[in-house]
Amino acid sequence: MIGKLKGVVDSTGEDWVVVDVGGVGYHVTCSRRTLGALPAPGGAVTLSIETKVSDEAIRLIGFESDGERDWFRLLLGVQGVGTRVALGVLGTLAPADLARAIALDDKKAVSSAPGVGPKVAARIVAELKDKAPEGASLDAVLDMPVNGTAASGAAGPMRDAVSALVNLGYPQAQASGAVAAAAKTLEEAATAEQLIRQGLKELAR
């Protein structure tokens, strides 16, 4: 199985790129966002690869990072999500944005991807709530803007609040989502204690 390709861009199409690796051209299917980040033909490129084997062909799916590939694998585990839909989601939402949408139960953001209706978006959010790649959901939620302001100053209390909720027995993804939702309703300088109290209210809904 091919796990990574490192070479130069030979040519691109609507949903694919040919990567020249030592004179051999590999046809790789990519999301719209990944294609948009590629250099012009002749430019160096490294892609994480997911190899899909079927009776008809061996298909290579390319990603900017291993983290994006991990999200692709998780999306394929959701009922009703195939390769095309998963690439549509990742073509619309960067991994951090997808993690944030799932943690905040933002089905509207997920449904903005092509081919993703309300029902599929709801399944993605529900089924991946506690299955995000380790640390992804927490990092994405705690580093996001809070009430329009960069969250760096609030990250300490938010992380403390998440840690407290995890210690109470809540899954990390669920705890981080509750704290992020709490931060949106409280003042920008909310303390960890305030975030914990509001977070518990969010979890009780």
Side-chain angles (χ1 to χ4, degrees), residues 12 78 81 89 102 123 129 144 148 185 197-198 202 205:
T12 60
V78 177
V81 175
V89 171
I102 292 171
R123 281 201 297 270
K129 196 75 170 181
M144 72 179 183
T185 62
R197 289 178 179 174
Q198 185 63 32
E202 298 289 338
R205 290 181 179 180

Side-chain angles (χ1 to χ4, degrees), residues 52-106:
K52 304 285 288 182
V53 180
S54 67
D55 293 337
E56 293 80 21
I58 297 176
R59 187 180 183 190
L60 304 181
I61 316 294
F63 307 92
E64 286 187 276
S65 65
D66 289 346
E68 186 178 20
R69 183 179 60 191
D70 290 343
W71 275 110
F72 175 76
R73 291 170 175 171
L74 287 173
L75 286 166
L76 289 184
V78 177
Q79 181 184 0
V81 175
T83 297
R84 186 173 182 178
V85 171
L87 288 176
V89 171
L90 292 171
T92 303
L93 300 171
D97 295 327
L98 178 57
R100 181 186 309 172
I102 292 171
L104 295 178
D105 197 31
D106 188 354

Side-chain angles (χ1 to χ4, degrees), residues 14-15 30-37 87-88 90-93 112-114:
E14 183 179 355
D15 62 354
C30 300
S31 71
R32 180 181 58 189
R33 199 174 54 80
T34 296
L35 284 172
L87 288 176
L90 292 171
T92 303
L93 300 171
S112 66

Side-chain angles (χ1 to χ4, degrees), residues 67 70-71 74 99 128 130-140 172-173:
D70 290 343
W71 275 110
L74 287 173
L128 298 187
D130 299 315
K131 296 181 181 179
E134 185 176 355
S137 178
L138 180 63
D139 291 342
Q172 180 172 291

Side-chain angles (χ1 to χ4, degrees), residues 160-174:
D160 290 343
V162 170
S163 178
L165 293 179
V166 169
N167 289 337
L168 289 174
Y170 293 99
Q172 180 172 291
Q174 189 176 356

